[in-house]
Each structure stands twice: as C-alpha cells, then as structure tokens.
Amino acid sequence: MNIPAVLPCSFNRLQCSTPPAHLLRLVIRKKGRLVCRLSHDNNKEDDSVQDNNNNSHQDNDQPLENTSLENNDGPQLNGLTGFEPWLKQDDTDDQLASESPLPGVKPQQLDESIRIPKETVEILRNQVFGFDTFFVTSQEPYEGGVLFKGNLRGQAAKTYEKVSKRMQEKLGDDYKFFLLINPEDDKPVAVVVPRMTLQPETTAVPEWFAAGAFGLVTVFTLFLRNVPALQSNFLSVFDNLDLLKDGLPGALMTAFLLGVHEVSHRLVATEVGIKLSIPYFVPSWQIGCFGAITRILNVVPNREDLLKVAAAGPLAGFCVGFILLLSGFMLPPSDGIGIIVDPSVFHESFLAGGIAKLYLGDVLQEGSPISVHPLVIWAWAGLVINAINSIPAGELDGGRIAFAMWGRKASARLSALSIGLLGICSLFNDVAFYWVVLIFFLQRGPIAPLSEEVTHPQNKYMALGVVVLFLGLLVCLPYPFPFSNQPAL
C-alpha cells in the first residue's frame, strides 16, 4: 500500500449554497468617502445614513481622515453570523461586496426601521464613548451602523468592557459594539451596528441533513482509502463491494483521529462560550477525508478565545497521531508480514521520515522494501489530515490561528502566500490540487469580525499556536536525507 503523497503544507467552514438575491454592499469612493448601499434588483442606492463628520469633535493632537477600509483586511460585519463576504471589484470604485454562500443564512435587508437613528448616534458619541475609553474624532456610516474613529484610551480589553457596559445601560441590547483595527493606519476603530443585522434567518433544509449526506460519503471514502486493490480502479468498487470490509480497521482509526480533533474543538469552544455548527466532513478518495468544516455561530469575544478553539483540534490530533505513529513503528508487523512499503515513501514527510530512521535504523535502505505495522500508515494518514488543516490559509484552523496571533492584515497576506504555494504544488500533486480548490471556494474567508480584535493573546497561547503550525510544517515538508549508510551522491 502506498502512502499518499503529502502536500507541502494545510479545516473549516462550509459554504455551499447559491448567492442570495440581495447583497449589502459597502462602497468606498476613491475620494475616501464611505457610502453604505443596499443592492436590489434595480440597484437603487440607499443614502439614509448621512456622513456626520462635519459636526464631529476633532482631536488637535491626532487629526484623522475618513476611513476608506478599502481592502480585504478591514472589518466586515455582515459575516458575523456565519456568512463571509465575497470580494468583488468595480472599474470605477474600490468596493467591498459581501454575499452569503453559506447554507441557511441570508443577509438582512437594512431598512430605516433598523438603522441607527441620529439621536442614538449622539448618545454613543457623548455618553457611551469618552475621554477615559475611546475619544471620538469622526464618524462614518458603516454596514447599517456607524464607524467611529478616534483615540483609544488605556487597554483595549478594559475599554471594551467599559463601553459595552455603558451601552447596555444607555441603549439596552439593541446594538452591538466592536473594537477593530483600521487596516489603513492600523489604529483602533469602534463600530456599532443594530443587533438585528447580525441574526441569520432560519433554513428550510436542516443542516443535519446536509452534514449527514457528507458524512455518508466520507464513510465510503474512508473505507476505500484503506483498500489498495480498489484505489487503482475507482469504478471497480461497485463490482467488489465486499472488499470494502478489508478497510474497516484503517477507517476506524482515521475516524478516531478525526473524532479527537472535532471533540477537542467543541470542548474548548464550550468552555469559552463559542457556539459551533454541525461538522461537515469533507470526503477525499486520496486520504479518506480532508477533515471537517464547522461554522462559528456567534460572535467570538477576542483573539485569544479564537486561538484556543482553533488550536485545540489540531493540537490534540497531532498528539494522539504522534503516539500512534510511534506505537506503529515499535510494534512488529501483524501476522509476521504487515504492509510492504518502499522506503522512498518516508521521504514525503519530515516527521514520518525522521521517526522511521530513528526506529528502523540501518534496516531502512533505499530501494529495499520493508514491512511495517498497518498502524504506521493509519496514524500517518491522521497526521496528514491534521497538517493540511493547519495550513495558515483562509478559515482553516491554521488560518484562524494566524489571525488570532498576528492580526487580520498579516494573516491575510500569509493566507494569500499559502494558497499561492498550494497552487504551485497542485501542479504536481492531486491532493494539493483538490485541497486548494476547496480552500479557494469554501474556506478562503475572510474571518468574521471579533468583538474585540485589538488585544493580543497571552504568550502561552501564542506558543501553542506556533507549535501547531510547526508540527503541520514537519508533517508536510519532505525528508531530504538518504536512508542508506552510503553518502549521498
């Protein structure tokens, strides 16, 4: 049985429905003015929210210009309940157009009844914000709400708590406050939107039905992945269904590692108060399964909580998979034969190749097939699944980890680089090809705004994030050293 080729490095949000009929578009003019537009079939522009900058109080020490938020890194609030903006460009304007390809979620139509009244904006400026929290210097309409620019006072986390408490006292639960980073100048901005704009509509087709369909196909591919006789001719499986039972042990082991990954996500998510949707397992005939895509159903409080949840799954999967891989090398081949593999396959992973060289020593010679316990192959497949989900791209676990550690702008650049490298690898590797297609169409993001994106996670959680990314890299990078005792030519 050949081990599948490992791509040089990558979980998580399924977006699988047609674009909605109505799109909320945030249009940024080249002159810097921000206009919130509701796009209907007749493309009629709604100018009900007017720019109030002329009446705003200016800070003499730090004068600020209007925020254009013209790139993909900026806060985009209509992705907060699970539907992520889809970027488009206009020939005359730099704009952000968002739509929801996620199942069961439709954008809210913003009419005058749910927009923030002018009187409420004045309460926000004069009574909610202040010199001790966030000193407002200008304001602009933004996604049915208001974006406030100004100067952050004190620590971001404490400021967020103070402003949220004041907003609760003055305005109740009608509005939601976000403390984000302006990608223009990397300075904090405050955004307030009506909570009604953050609520998804119910779906006519239950999510469990779609998730169950994906799960059934994944069960089939897990069996198929562990039956070498059927892999060379996929269509022959329908004439040899009885052979699928031979793949039961490997399918169960891979499913176990997937379960460890998913359960770890959910345990930590419950602890920090983050709600997750039903997982959609993505089938793959090359490695059995690409992992699970899971939507976050509520607003994540801060970057540290996002980092905890994102890192929990792959970290647990790597730990269990690593222990199983070591056990597979230490156990004698089953029935005295095991699985015959060519040593060259261990060159496909730095981690697997290094462990193989450590335990097998001189037995591992180039060109001399060896017998290994099947657990080696099963554990390796689990490690690969965790590794490809740890690629710092889009809304994969690795993409969320990168965003939580380094912020939206840096993670967006790293994501573009990772997708680009995967695209190059896809020219030589079919696993990389299908994975980059899935990322680009289902997982490219951007990640929905967090309640407070300014505060960095604690160093201990940053270290866990680095460990996950590093382990994923070790699994995906090739092992470059020869296995024989002879010096390399």
Side-chain angles (χ1 to χ4, degrees), residues 76-139:
Q76 302 175 25
L77 296 180
N78 53 336
L80 289 171
T81 54
F83 59 89
E84 283 68 28
W86 186 359
L87 300 182
K88 295 182 178 179
Q89 290 188 348
D90 191 281
D91 293 335
T92 57
D93 299 320
D94 296 326
Q95 66 182 27
L96 292 175
S98 60
E99 57 189 42
S100 171
L102 285 176
V105 181
K106 297 179 180 179
Q108 298 286 337
Q109 296 187 22
L110 301 181
D111 54 30
E112 291 298 332
S113 63
I114 60 175
R115 290 188 183 276
I116 300 182
K118 184 176 180 180
E119 296 77 12
T120 302
V121 174
E122 291 302 318
I123 293 176
L124 290 169
R125 287 182 58 98
N126 301 324
Q127 300 181 39
V128 175
F129 298 109
F131 286 99
D132 61 330
T133 55
F134 188 88
F135 179 68
V136 177
T137 60
S138 65
Q139 68 191 54

Side-chain angles (χ1 to χ4, degrees), residues 135-418:
F135 179 68
V136 177
T137 60
S138 65
Q139 68 191 54
E140 298 167 356
Y142 184 68
E143 296 286 351
V146 182
L147 182 147
F148 296 95
K149 298 174 65 175
N151 302 312
L152 178 65
R153 311 293 189 183
Q155 297 181 357
K158 293 182 178 179
T159 294
Y160 182 85
E161 292 179 2
K162 290 181 180 178
V163 172
S164 297
K165 183 177 180 181
R166 290 177 187 174
M167 184 178 297
Q168 173 71 27
E169 295 172 350
K170 300 292 183 181
L171 303 174
D173 294 324
D174 294 335
Y175 302 97
K176 173 64 179 176
F177 164 54
F178 296 87
L179 188 58
L180 310 174
I181 295 293
N182 180 1
E184 269 194 345
D185 52 17
D186 295 325
K187 293 182 178 179
V189 292
V191 176
V192 179
V193 297
R195 285 189 181 272
M196 292 180 63
T197 65
L198 308 179
Q199 301 300 322
E201 296 183 3
T202 58
T203 174
V205 180
E207 278 195 337
W208 60 263
F209 181 82
F214 275 89
L216 288 176
V217 178
T218 301
V219 170
F220 174 76
T221 56
L222 284 175
F223 276 89
L224 181 64
R225 161 67 180 82
N226 290 279
V227 184
L230 299 178
Q231 291 179 15
S232 58
N233 187 0
F234 175 77
L235 296 179
S236 66
V237 68
F238 299 103
D239 299 324
N240 300 277
L241 290 177
D242 56 322
L243 292 179
L244 287 179
K245 66 179 184 295
D246 297 336
L248 179 60
L252 291 176
M253 184 58 62
T254 305
F256 170 70
L257 290 172
L258 288 171
V260 169
H261 184 114
E262 290 303 311
V263 169
S264 299
H265 275 307
R266 292 186 176 275
L267 289 177
V268 177
T270 301
E271 181 182 350
V272 300
I274 295 177
K275 299 178 181 179
L276 300 178
S277 72
I278 299 174
Y280 293 77
F281 289 96
V282 183
S284 167
W285 61 83
Q286 301 99 337
I287 58 175
C289 179
F290 279 126
I293 294 175
T294 310
R295 295 187 298 121
I296 294 179
L297 300 178
N298 60 341
V299 181
V300 179
N302 51 59
R303 288 160 57 182
E304 185 171 295
D305 288 344
L306 179 64
L307 178 56
K308 291 178 183 178
V309 175
L315 188 62
F318 280 133
C319 290
V320 176
F322 182 73
I323 293 174
L324 292 176
L325 183 66
L326 290 177
S327 301
F329 278 114
M330 290 186 290
L331 292 173
S334 59
D335 298 329
I337 299 176
I339 297 178
I340 305 300
V341 298
D342 190 279
S344 62
V345 299
F346 292 112
H347 284 293
E348 296 176 359
S349 171
F350 192 96
L351 181 65
I355 295 176
K357 180 63 178 177
L358 178 65
Y359 275 94
L360 300 179
D362 295 339
V363 176
L364 197 63
Q365 298 289 327
E366 300 288 356
S368 300
I370 59 173
S371 176
V372 296
H373 194 279
L375 187 58
V376 172
I377 310 301
W378 302 336
W380 189 351
L383 288 171
V384 170
I385 294 172
N386 279 275
I388 64 176
N389 284 286
S390 300
I391 291 179
E395 291 201 84
L396 300 175
D397 285 340
R400 292 176 180 171
I401 291 172
F403 167 70
M405 292 196 300
W406 300 306
R408 190 173 295 274
K409 180 180 290 188
S411 65
R413 293 171 177 169
L414 185 58
S415 176
L417 177 62
S418 299

